[in-house]
Amino acid sequence: MTARLPVIMALGSALAWGLWWVPVRALEASGLNGVWAGIAMNAGGLPAFLLLVLLLRDPVPFTQRAALGAFLAGVAVVTYSAAITYTDVVRVALLFYLAPVWSKLIEVTFMGERWTWRSSLAIALSFAGIFTIFRGEISLEAWSMGDAMAVASGMAWSIGAALIFSAPAPGAAKLSLGMCIGGLVTGGVLIVLMGTDPTPTRDAAITAAPLALVAGALYLLPMMTATLWAATRLPPATLSFLLTAEIISGVATAALFLDERFGAPEVIGTVLVALGATVEVLAPHTRRPAAAP
């Protein structure tokens, strides 16, 4: 049971990540458009993250590698949030979950892992799912800014997870705080660079503040902490494939409650990506990071 606990934690947090669109769309409805919704969620959670770090008193300091990994995980969270406001939840979820492909390539190229038939089959199924969900229209004209952000989010997550796993790292509370700070910084940079999301009005900010605080403390904090706790114990590709369970809750709830297209291609694409995850974790394993030099 102990060996399987990281797997269980990753699956549980994945199902929670699938509901990420709920607070994001609620914040959007209150007047926080685009990137601002993700910024508000991270800002709302920041006091809770700081309090958790102070209460746990983790003596292990950040290494540069672990700090960068946590920061990139924050990049992934905010770009994912923005993508949800620009395109369909189903497309965002499936495009983000090219992440296992990037994670596997990182493991093989930089971490000494072996490429297996299981890896090839999992990646083939993932790409087949993406091809199906796009109805074969894999061209630049068919892609939106939200699609590009979803792919970028998956890449940032893959690199961040690899850095966290491969380096001596502090506990999940400190990593979550780093992830939160990374999300805030990234959101600010995107606002400046993109210049497309209008600054929220004073009334919108006041309306959104209670929701941001509650979502940050009761939703974002436990979900991030559980995910990053698993990230210190599971190889990046295994973790990324496990997190594809998000597709189940995300696609199901979006189909039920949002007016988004959901037909046979979406169903088949979801099944293919989920099968890719299942293949990769048929024999999940954990491995401790290397000791500090």
Side-chain angles (χ1 to χ4, degrees):
M1 179 63 182
T2 302
R4 295 281 175 174
L5 186 57
V7 173
I8 295 170
M9 292 290 282
L11 286 172
S13 61
L15 294 174
W17 278 111
L19 301 177
W20 179 259
W21 66 266
V22 176
V24 169
R25 289 290 175 91
L27 289 165
E28 185 183 21
S30 71
L32 305 186
N33 297 312
V35 180
W36 285 108
I39 293 175
M41 184 96 69
N42 280 275
L46 185 59
F49 286 112
L50 286 168
L51 180 60
L52 183 63
V53 169
L54 291 173
L55 289 175
L56 292 181
R57 297 180 180 276
D58 180 7
V60 181
F62 264 118
T63 62
Q64 289 183 346
R65 185 179 297 180
L68 179 58
F71 186 92
L72 286 172
V75 173
V77 168
V78 167
T79 49
Y80 188 90
S81 298
I84 287 175
T85 67
Y86 294 132
T87 190
D88 293 346
V89 172
V90 174
R91 288 167 72 97
V92 174
L94 291 180
L95 286 170
F96 174 86
Y97 281 107
L98 287 174
V101 177
W102 318 132
S103 293
K104 180 54 67 175
L105 292 174
I106 289 170
E107 284 187 4
V108 171
T109 305
F110 299 107
M111 300 173 66
E113 297 290 333
R114 295 178 58 189
W115 190 274
T116 67
W117 67 267
R118 186 179 291 124
S119 302
S120 298
L121 179 58
I123 288 174
L125 288 168
S126 295
F127 275 116
I130 300 300
F131 184 82
T132 303
I133 199 76
F134 275 87
R135 292 165 168 80
E137 299 177 3
I138 308 297
S139 66
L140 292 178
E141 293 182 359
W143 281 55
S144 68
M145 180 168 61
D147 297 331
M149 281 190 152
V151 174
S153 177
M155 288 182 174
W157 169 259
S158 298
I159 299 170
L163 290 170
I164 290 169
F165 179 74
S166 63
K174 277 188 177 179
L175 290 171
S176 296
L177 177 60
M179 188 176 184
C180 184
I181 293 171
L184 287 171
V185 172
T186 302
V189 171
L190 288 175
I191 290 295
V192 172
L193 293 180
M194 293 170 57
T196 56
D197 297 327
T199 302
T201 64
R202 181 173 179 272
D203 289 343
I206 292 173
T207 301
L211 173 59
L213 287 168
V214 171
L218 301 182
Y219 175 68
L220 192 60
L221 175 65
M223 185 174 62
M224 276 191 178
T225 304
T227 303
L228 291 173
W229 183 85
T232 62
R233 291 160 173 81
L234 292 170
T238 300
L239 177 65
S240 295
F241 275 107
L242 284 168
L243 290 178
T244 57
E246 174 192 339
I247 295 172
I248 298 172
S249 58
V251 167
T253 54
L256 286 172
F257 300 110
L258 298 177
D259 186 22
E260 295 186 356
R261 181 170 62 172
F262 191 78
E266 284 76 18
V267 173
I268 295 170
T270 300
V271 169
L272 287 171
V273 174
L275 282 175
T278 304
V279 167
E280 177 64 21
V281 297
L282 283 174
H285 60 282
T286 60
R287 175 168 60 84
R288 288 188 176 276

